[in-house]
Amino acid sequence: DAGVIQSPRHEVTEMGQEVTLRCKPISGHDYLFWYRQTMMRGLELLIYFNNNVPIDDSGMPEDRFSAKMPNASFSTLKIQPSEPRDSAVYFCASSPGMAGELFFGEGSRLTVL
Amino acid sequence: GENVEQHPSTLSVQEGDSAVIKCTYSDSASNYFPWYKQELGKRPQLIIDIRSNVGEKKDQRIAVTLNKTAKHFSLHITETQPEDSAVYFCAAREGDTDKLIFGTGTRLQVFP
């Protein structure tokens, strides 16, 4: 398996633009997590899915953020409109089960100017 | 919800010395505590984990201890090597949920 695949690896955009980050989890993993990493706040959990269903989105910072998982092999995290304070590395991770190891993707580095 | 605090934020040691990183958690129902290592520009990767029915776990040069009464757990790295240099994150699973809450990370530098 190629592991968790994220795209794009780098995104530079201007304030107000829509940003869509994509994730393909490891086949057979039932859980998918979206984390945001910044120097100040470390790794923050934004939202997670179990069997494609959003379970907890309490970490999503604002209504500007939304996430979907239309099927077991694809998830998106969307920011609309983007702001400079959204600049961070966004990681997607998948896991085979409860309290299982998280397998992280390479991350998407977002810069909002 | 769960809150995880991690100390120190940075740690510098000489090659061959030991390194200890400490974390505390708030949710007494938490029962799973993994540690992740993130090398510069790379993804976090699991290095060791411990569950609440165990007080200590070792894997070669790394070990983790857990004190459920005090709600703290620690990572111990012995005989450190330059390739141990990375950011280390502790985490705790919140109660009976699947949420893994991370500490803010410790940047470890091992000098040759």
Side-chain angles (χ1 to χ4, degrees):
Chain A
D1 200 316
V4 175
I5 299 173
Q6 290 187 246
S7 65
R9 292 292 312 279
H10 302 274
E11 173 94 3
V12 180
T13 190
E14 292 190 347
M15 184 174 65
Q17 296 297 305
E18 178 180 292
V19 173
T20 299
L21 308 178
R22 298 172 178 80
C23 176
K24 181 181 188 311
I26 294 173
S27 177
H29 282 192
D30 293 333
Y31 289 83
L32 184 140
F33 301 80
W34 282 100
Y35 282 89
R36 178 171 68 177
Q37 184 174 32
T38 60
M39 287 291 291
M40 292 300 294
R41 301 170 72 95
L43 280 163
E44 297 176 275
L45 177 63
L46 300 178
I47 185 172
Y48 78 96
F49 297 81
N50 180 20
N51 291 320
N52 313 338
V53 177
I55 303 300
D56 189 324
D57 65 354
S58 59
M60 297 285 261
E62 299 168 35
D63 291 345
R64 299 183 295 106
F65 286 69
S66 62
K68 294 181 180 179
M69 192 164 186
N71 57 62
S73 58
F74 184 64
S75 177
T76 60
L77 178 68
K78 187 174 291 188
I79 308 171
Q80 166 63 17
S82 57
E83 296 183 3
R85 59 195 167 118
D86 302 331
S87 298
V89 179
Y90 291 81
F91 283 102
C92 173
S94 68
S95 175
M98 264 186 96
E101 177 179 354
L102 292 190
F103 292 82
F104 284 83
E106 302 264 22
S108 294
R109 181 175 295 276
L110 173 64
T111 302
V112 183
L113 303 174
Chain B
E2 177 69 276
N3 183 48
V4 179
E5 295 192 358
Q6 183 171 351
H7 301 279
S9 57
T10 61
L11 180 59
S12 296
V13 300
Q14 204 75 33
E15 183 177 0
D17 288 349
S18 295
V20 180
I21 303 169
K22 299 182 179 181
C23 289
T24 60
Y25 61 98
S26 61
D27 185 354
S28 56
S30 293
N31 57 17
Y32 175 63
F33 308 91
W35 287 85
Y36 283 76
K37 176 183 180 182
Q38 185 180 27
E39 297 177 357
L40 189 63
K42 301 283 183 68
R43 72 189 84 187
Q45 293 187 289
L46 179 72
I47 55 171
I48 194 167
D49 57 13
I50 190 168
R51 298 179 193 272
S52 59
N53 57 346
V54 174
E56 183 175 0
K57 184 176 178 180
K58 291 182 79 170
D59 183 2
Q60 299 182 14
R61 294 186 299 107
I62 60 174
V64 57
T65 58
L66 172 64
N67 183 329
K68 284 219 74 181
T69 303
K71 289 191 281 189
H72 69 69
F73 55 114
S74 301
L75 178 71
H76 305 252
I77 306 174
T78 58
E79 300 171 32
T80 53
Q81 301 167 4
E83 52 264 39
D84 294 329
S85 297
V87 178
Y88 291 81
F89 291 95
C90 63
R93 187 168 74 107
E94 182 180 276
D96 286 334
T97 75
D98 307 305
K99 293 171 68 169
L100 203 56
I101 306 301
F102 283 85
T104 48
T106 296
R107 182 173 298 279
L108 173 65
Q109 282 191 293
V110 181
F111 291 98

